[in-house]
Amino acid sequence: MSVARYQAVVVGAGLVGAAAALALGRRGVRVALIERQPPAVPDAAWDSRIYAISPASQRFLEAIGAWQRLEADRVQPVFRMDVAGDAGGAVRLDAYEAGVPRLAAILESGRLQHALWQAIDADGSVARHCPAAIASIERGEGMTRIELDAGTLLETELVIGADGAASRIRDWAGIASTRTPYGQSGVVANFSCERAHRGTAFQWFAGGDILAWLPLPGTRMSMVWSTLSAHADELVALDARALVEKVRVAGHDRLGALDLLTPAAAFPLRLIRVESVVAPGVALIGDAAHGVHPLAGQGVNLGFGDAEALVEVLAQHRRAPLGDLRILQTYARQRAEPVLRMQALTHGLHHLFATPRAGWLRNAGMSLVDRLAPMKAALVREAMS
């Protein structure tokens, strides 16, 4: 039986995995991509999975030829973010005041996935194995052999795990991970609104809950409501009229009457830390490498940062064995600080707003930050990177 040989094999073709494979192929690395199912072709309906893409992630996606394939009328720039505490504290982050064109771009997961898939098709540098599942995987001397369920054999210097929070590649590599449940779920749904949002994202901290309204094109918005799992189940079980009223009241009627566009869905929230993002012949990216609370909306941006950093390191060493741990540790060092910083920020804010005794501190702190223009500008630059 013939064996297909690659320098890198990416396992998992979600947003981060597909972007990593495409970026590697465009840099001259012999790369394959394994995915169980191809992405669905988007239709006119709105996707309930929405991401806030940072300018840095947008530049990466532009560089690999994916961003240009998005429909402009399905992408919404964010020009301002209004954050409200639970006792009068408030912060407004404004792109104009910070001297930048926008804070982020809001778009649908399915459309970005489709754009990446189209870019991979057009580029032709990535060997796709889809639909396909891994039947066995075995690490040898400087090489890993992967057998797919159809009997296809692949050999690769490096396996890149982009297969999500429950990563099989992470487990196979023996990389330990720690999951810390928050006891909360994120409830997502999309709505049409009576009043225009004017490119403003809203976020409220109240009673341990975090409610975010993200602007969508036209007079639409996407909601992410982080709340106790029992309450999340109650919200998902509500009929459309009752849910709309709950969301409108929780958002202080900022956008007037609402109509439900997509059914509510919930997903559990947890912090994921791994002991290392690399091992001999293995590198982890995206949710396989870390998990953060969604309150800052930075999870997918961290993943794109992983992909961009890993690709740059590998491209610089593509004439060497890419599974060499010394090469991979360069990637690990580059990503350690930004990931730890974002995990510490989101984890700390979650506990700060979940602790009733800290009410005065958190609200006074928000109001103080709102009066310090240089600090707000620094927050904007951090969110954009």
Side-chain angles (χ1 to χ4, degrees):
M1 181 180 294
S2 63
V3 179
R5 291 179 172 84
Y6 303 98
Q7 291 175 283
V9 170
V10 180
V11 179
L15 298 180
V16 173
L22 177 58
L24 284 169
R26 289 171 67 95
R27 296 294 294 273
V29 174
R30 298 191 310 278
V31 60
L33 180 62
I34 300 173
E35 174 57 38
R36 287 178 175 274
Q37 294 293 335
V41 176
D43 56 23
W46 288 87
D47 191 339
S48 60
R49 294 188 66 184
I50 301 293
Y51 290 110
I53 303 298
S54 71
S57 293
Q58 180 178 333
R59 289 191 294 272
F60 172 55
L61 293 167
E62 287 173 344
I64 62 176
W67 189 268
Q68 299 87 325
R69 296 179 177 276
L70 293 166
E71 302 159 85
D73 62 355
R74 304 287 289 219
V75 179
Q76 173 63 52
V78 179
F79 303 113
R80 190 173 71 186
M81 185 170 185
D82 286 345
V83 183
D86 50 0
V91 177
R92 170 170 290 177
L93 302 178
D94 189 283
Y96 177 78
E97 290 179 358
V100 297
R102 65 197 173 282
L103 302 178
I106 308 296
L107 51 78
E108 299 155 273
S109 174
R111 289 184 182 273
L112 180 53
Q113 186 75 68
H114 184 60
L116 284 162
W117 213 251
Q118 287 182 310
I120 288 172
D121 276 344
D123 189 77
S125 63
V126 178
R128 289 193 321 201
H129 297 274
C130 177
I134 295 176
S136 66
I137 181 167
E138 182 179 351
R139 177 71 177 162
E141 186 64 33
M143 192 71 68
T144 297
R145 173 170 282 209
I146 300 172
E147 182 179 358
L148 303 181
D149 54 358
T152 304
L153 293 178
L154 314 179
E155 282 188 351
T156 182
E157 299 168 10
L158 174 66
V159 178
I160 299 174
D163 50 344
S167 172
R168 179 181 176 185
I169 297 303
R170 186 181 63 216
D171 292 343
W172 164 76
I175 299 175
S177 62
T178 302
R179 300 187 184 194
T180 305
Y182 284 112
Q184 290 187 324
S185 295
V187 180
V188 296
N190 297 335
F191 301 83
S192 61
C193 313
E194 180 184 15
R195 294 196 287 268
H197 49 64
R198 304 184 187 279
T200 300
F202 303 93
Q203 191 170 47
W204 294 271
F205 292 84
D209 284 9
I210 304 167
L211 174 64
W213 288 3
L214 305 176
L216 292 175
T219 54
R220 305 178 185 90
M221 69 85 175
S222 179
M223 175 199 76
V224 182
W225 192 337
S226 302
T227 185
L228 292 175
S229 295
H231 184 223
D233 293 341
E234 293 172 6
L235 291 172
V236 171
L238 293 174
D239 62 36
R241 181 177 297 180
L243 177 64
V244 161
E245 183 62 14
K246 283 273 190 183
V247 173
R248 183 190 67 80
V249 171
H252 304 273
D253 202 28
R254 287 298 298 265
L255 297 178
L258 305 176
D259 286 314
L260 188 65
L261 294 176
T262 60
F267 55 92
L269 304 183
R270 52 187 176 252
L271 174 71
I272 300 176
R273 292 191 173 102
V274 300
E275 66 175 4
S276 175
V277 296
V278 298
V282 178
L284 304 178
I285 59 176
D287 288 348
H290 43 67
V292 298
H293 196 288
L295 67 88
Q298 292 298 307
V300 74
N301 292 311
L302 281 178
F304 286 135
D306 296 342
E308 186 172 22
L310 180 61
V311 168
E312 188 61 34
V313 168
L314 297 180
Q316 291 174 2
H317 297 86
R318 64 178 178 270
R319 297 189 184 279
L322 298 189
D324 189 322
L325 188 57
R326 291 168 297 181
I327 295 173
L328 299 178
Q329 284 173 338
T330 302
Y331 156 70
R333 287 192 296 269
Q334 288 183 9
R335 295 306 295 161
E337 195 272 335
V339 170
L340 287 173
R341 186 173 67 239
M342 186 56 64
Q343 287 183 328
L345 173 65
T346 56
H347 194 64
L349 284 174
H350 163 74
H351 285 290
L352 179 63
F353 280 90
T355 304
R357 294 189 302 275
W360 176 87
L361 174 63
R362 59 182 175 245
N363 286 280
M366 292 177 72
S367 298
L368 175 62
V369 168
D370 195 53
R371 293 193 293 270
L372 298 175
M375 184 174 291
K376 289 204 293 182
L379 289 173
V380 169
R381 288 192 296 271
E382 174 68 19
M384 293 177 67
S385 62

